Amino acid sequence: MDRALALHLGVIAALGLAYFVLPAYHAGNLARIMVLAIYAMGFNLAFGYTGLLSLGHALFFGAGMYGLALSMQHFGAPTLPALLIALVASALVAAVVGALALRTKGVAFMIVTLMFAQAGYLTALYFSAWTRGEEGFVLPQALRRFAGFDLSSAAGRYFAALLLFALTLLLIGAIVRAPFGRALIAIRENEPRATMLGYDVQRLKWFAIIVSGTISGLAGATYALLFGYAGASFAAVPYSILPLLYVLLGGAGTTLGPLVGTAFMIYLFDLSSSLTDAYMLIAGVVLVLLTMFLPQGMLGTLRKRALPWLP
Amino acid sequence: MAALGAAGAPAILQTRGLTKTYAGVQANVDVDFDLPTGQIRALIGPNGAGKSTFVGMLCGRIPATRGTVMFDNKDISRLPAHRRIRLGIAYTFQITSVFTGLSVRENVALAAHRAGGTEATVTEVLARVGLSDRADQPAGDLSYGHQRILEIAMGLAQKPRLFILDEPTQGLAESEVAEFKALIRGLSGTTILLIEHNMSVVMETAQFITVLNHGAILAEGTPEQIRANPHVQAAYLGTEDA
Ligand SMILES: Nc1ncnc2c1ncn2[C@@H]1O[C@H](COP(=O)(O)OP(=O)(O)O)[C@@H](O)[C@H]1O
Ligand SMILES: [Mg+2]
């Protein structure tokens, strides 16, 4: 077994043990971190590996969240079908948005994705009879079950989050070493060269957006399922910016950077909000410092300085 | 019926009326060009003659204003660049273009794998160009000369039927130029279109030469014919056509 896979399995095992070691409060935090890290891993595939800076991933997160929550709430769908609906919904939204947004590049791409996400957010508000808009709705606890496990309990939530996190991490780990992932990295590094080697850059980018959007949708669905709530604020602009912060902090284009960055940011928000109301300001200052001194993020810097094999 | 090139062998590449106009600048005007299969052809001409534009239109990097490009008797004029490359064309940029953030081996692997090659292809090509002992370095850490050689290695790894090189020896040291000549001569079976300023490279590798001037073909012939051609001498001296 190679080092990268061993590292991923080690991290998954450590997260499993952490539940039994950590105080309940931190285990609860960690469950949330793992779900948001799935989102960051999805975002990282587009941004960190393909070089596509989307400012609209909240649309995919929201599509997954509403895909699951609406089908549960209004149609009584059980967990697994609801999860599948969420994945299909976010994949479709990503396919359509990707096909249109990828006609643009750079700043225009950022703006177009931002606009699509804003349209999605407004759509969620418009159909507030179903979504209850900003206020959102709580998923009935009775529905949040899977194979006999209560996903609203601390343990059920933690291990469901871990399972989906682990699957996503192993999937991303496999993708980035497969020909598909290596081609995405080639596009990020030098798009004209990749084209002139025969890579269909447009199509590969589109696939990247679809996979990235579907993983983001999985995160949104998981969030609704485990925390029992869906609301339009999860489809709003801040939720497009957050995964960018997580990924930049942890290390864009590293498989574990999203987890590290998410954990760091969640605890930073947590600690600073207990000190002052202006916690966003503290978070901002720390971010500026980190990007000044660790422009490649934590794991990106570690890879450059000490561990070149880091996946 | 297979189209025949000037030398009688079937032409792997043909252009008819190929033209490029950049906002009023006529970079290429009605270029009719035939390249027989297996030939090593040099494309020469003064700076700004339109050489890079011409090969850019062959491989699809630069959209032509009008005209056709035939590759292997197939009209590829409307194909996007990556589809043309997949038909068996490799192209090296005039300005070195490698994946500087990736290892030397990964650079070659990206070229080889897309073209159906294996790890063995990668290892073999790296050995052939003398980059084996640098395989694990980031390409960006290589010297300029080695980066150019890496780009040629990427072309070789594609095992192309037509290899287009835009000024590959520009900025190379004498010893590297000598290695390049040997490399090109050792490529049997590959048709080569070489844009080159270094006359020793042209005279020692090319079987046939096309001279481009002001976006049009000024002369074509063997190295001896081109050397003796007064129009070519005039173009290079900068005076108008003698
Ligand atoms: N992207 C471009 N936009 C405008 N003019 C260009 C462009 N590229 C090349 N040209 C012009 O076209 C002519 C031919 O250029 P080029 O094909 O690069 O010549 P060569 O490779 O023979 O030196 C030159 O006059 C050059 O200035
Ligand atoms: Mg040129």
Side-chain angles (χ1 to χ4, degrees), chain A residues 11 26 55 63-64 77 132 174 177 213 231 240 242 244 259 287 298 301:
Chain A
V11 167
H26 292 290
L55 294 183
R132 301 188 55 83
R177 305 173 69 187
S240 289
L242 283 173
L244 174 61
L259 174 68
L287 265 174
M298 297 182 196
T301 307

Side-chain angles (χ1 to χ4, degrees), chain B residues 22-23 25-28 45-54 62 94 166-167 195 197 212:
Chain B
Y22 290 113
V25 180
Q26 296 247 323
N28 272 213
N47 265 325
K51 306 180 295 295
S52 293
T53 302
F54 177 67
I62 298 173
Q94 178 168 359
D166 196 345
E167 303 204 21
I195 298 181
H197 274 307
L212 212 59

Side-chain angles (χ1 to χ4, degrees), chain A residues 99-185:
Chain A
L100 296 170
L102 285 171
R103 290 160 185 250
T104 64
K105 281 187 180 186
V107 176
F109 181 79
M110 290 158 60
I111 293 172
V112 170
T113 48
L114 183 72
M115 285 308 168
F116 272 115
Q118 197 58 14
Y121 169 66
L122 294 173
T123 306
L125 293 186
Y126 182 81
F127 289 104
S128 60
W130 292 68
T131 65
R132 301 188 55 83
E134 288 279 6
E135 186 193 329
F137 59 93
V138 172
L139 281 180
Q141 199 172 334
L143 285 175
R144 293 163 53 207
R145 304 188 64 82
F146 181 65
F149 291 101
D150 177 4
L151 301 179
S152 65
S153 72
R157 174 188 293 169
Y158 190 93
F159 286 100
L162 177 60
L163 175 68
L164 293 171
F165 170 85
L167 290 175
T168 307
L169 178 62
L170 295 176
L171 175 71
I172 293 276
I175 286 178
V176 301
R177 305 173 69 187
F180 172 58
R182 290 163 76 180
L184 298 185
I185 295 170

Side-chain angles (χ1 to χ4, degrees), chain A:
Chain A
M1 186 164 62
D2 64 90
R3 280 187 288 194
L5 182 58
L7 177 66
H8 291 162
L9 292 176
V11 167
I12 291 164
L15 286 169
L17 279 180
Y19 179 77
F20 303 102
V21 177
L22 290 178
Y25 172 74
H26 292 290
N29 260 353
L30 203 47
R32 212 158 78 85
I33 286 168
M34 287 189 284
V35 176
L36 291 174
I38 296 174
Y39 184 22
M41 285 191 278
F43 182 82
N44 193 31
L45 189 68
F47 171 65
Y49 285 100
T50 320
L52 291 167
L53 177 46
S54 149
L55 294 183
H57 262 53
L59 179 61
F60 311 136
F61 189 86
M65 173 173 269
Y66 281 122
L68 177 122
L70 292 176
S71 52
M72 276 189 158
Q73 179 84 349
H74 296 290
F75 305 104
T79 298
L80 201 55
L83 209 49
L84 285 178
I85 289 170
L87 292 181
V88 170
S90 47
L92 283 178
V93 170
V96 171
V97 169
L100 296 170
L102 285 171
R103 290 160 185 250
T104 64
K105 281 187 180 186
V107 176
F109 181 79
M110 290 158 60
I111 293 172
V112 170
T113 48
L114 183 72
M115 285 308 168
F116 272 115
Q118 197 58 14
Y121 169 66
L122 294 173
T123 306
L125 293 186
Y126 182 81
F127 289 104
S128 60
W130 292 68
T131 65
R132 301 188 55 83
E134 288 279 6
E135 186 193 329
F137 59 93
V138 172
L139 281 180
Q141 199 172 334
L143 285 175
R144 293 163 53 207
R145 304 188 64 82
F146 181 65
F149 291 101
D150 177 4
L151 301 179
S152 65
S153 72
R157 174 188 293 169
Y158 190 93
F159 286 100
L162 177 60
L163 175 68
L164 293 171
F165 170 85
L167 290 175
T168 307
L169 178 62
L170 295 176
L171 175 71
I172 293 276
I175 286 178
V176 301
R177 305 173 69 187
F180 172 58
R182 290 163 76 180
L184 298 185
I185 295 170
I187 292 170
R188 175 194 74 196
E189 290 289 315
N190 186 341
E191 187 174 327
R193 181 72 268 180
T195 300
M196 296 317 290
L197 288 179
Y199 289 96
D200 188 346
V201 165
Q202 275 307 103
R203 178 181 285 256
L204 286 163
K205 283 181 177 176
W206 187 56
F207 288 163
I209 288 286
I210 293 174
V211 178
S212 166
T214 307
I215 294 173
S216 303
L218 171 68
T222 308
Y223 201 100
L225 181 65
L226 301 187
F227 298 96
Y229 169 82
S233 59
F234 286 106
V237 172
Y239 258 79
S240 289
I241 306 297
L242 283 173
L244 174 61
L245 297 186
Y246 301 155
V247 166
L248 280 176
L249 209 56
T254 65
T255 52
L256 289 166
L259 174 68
V260 173
T262 307
F264 193 93
M265 280 301 292
I266 297 289
Y267 270 97
L268 188 65
F269 283 141
D270 208 48
L271 292 176
S272 52
S273 63
S274 64
L275 295 176
T276 160
D277 283 344
Y279 73 96
M280 279 303 283
L281 184 68
I282 294 186
V285 170
V286 172
L287 265 174
V288 169
L289 292 177
L290 269 161
T291 41
M292 277 172 68
F293 296 107
L294 290 179
Q296 291 169 311
M298 297 182 196
L299 295 192
T301 307
L302 190 64
R303 170 154 73 190
K304 195 173 168 200
R305 300 260 167 88
L307 303 174
W309 59 270
L310 205 66

Side-chain angles (χ1 to χ4, degrees), chain B residues 12-91:
Chain B
I12 192 166
L13 183 85
Q14 278 192 319
T15 72
R16 289 296 174 264
L18 202 58
T19 298
K20 179 69 190 182
T21 310
Y22 290 113
V25 180
Q26 296 247 323
N28 272 213
V29 191
D30 288 322
V31 179
D32 297 344
F33 178 86
D34 292 281
L35 182 56
T37 306
Q39 191 177 74
I40 301 180
R41 172 78 62 100
L43 180 60
I44 67 172
N47 265 325
K51 306 180 295 295
S52 293
T53 302
F54 177 67
V55 297
M57 290 191 290
L58 300 183
C59 62
R61 200 171 69 85
I62 298 173
T65 306
R66 65 182 142 82
T68 56
V69 181
M70 305 280 288
F71 180 71
D72 203 14
N73 292 309
K74 183 174 185 285
D75 187 346
I76 61 168
S77 314
R78 306 214 168 276
L79 292 186
H82 70 269
R83 298 271 308 275
R84 301 190 195 192
I85 299 298
R86 288 180 191 186
L87 291 175
I89 301 177
Y91 170 82

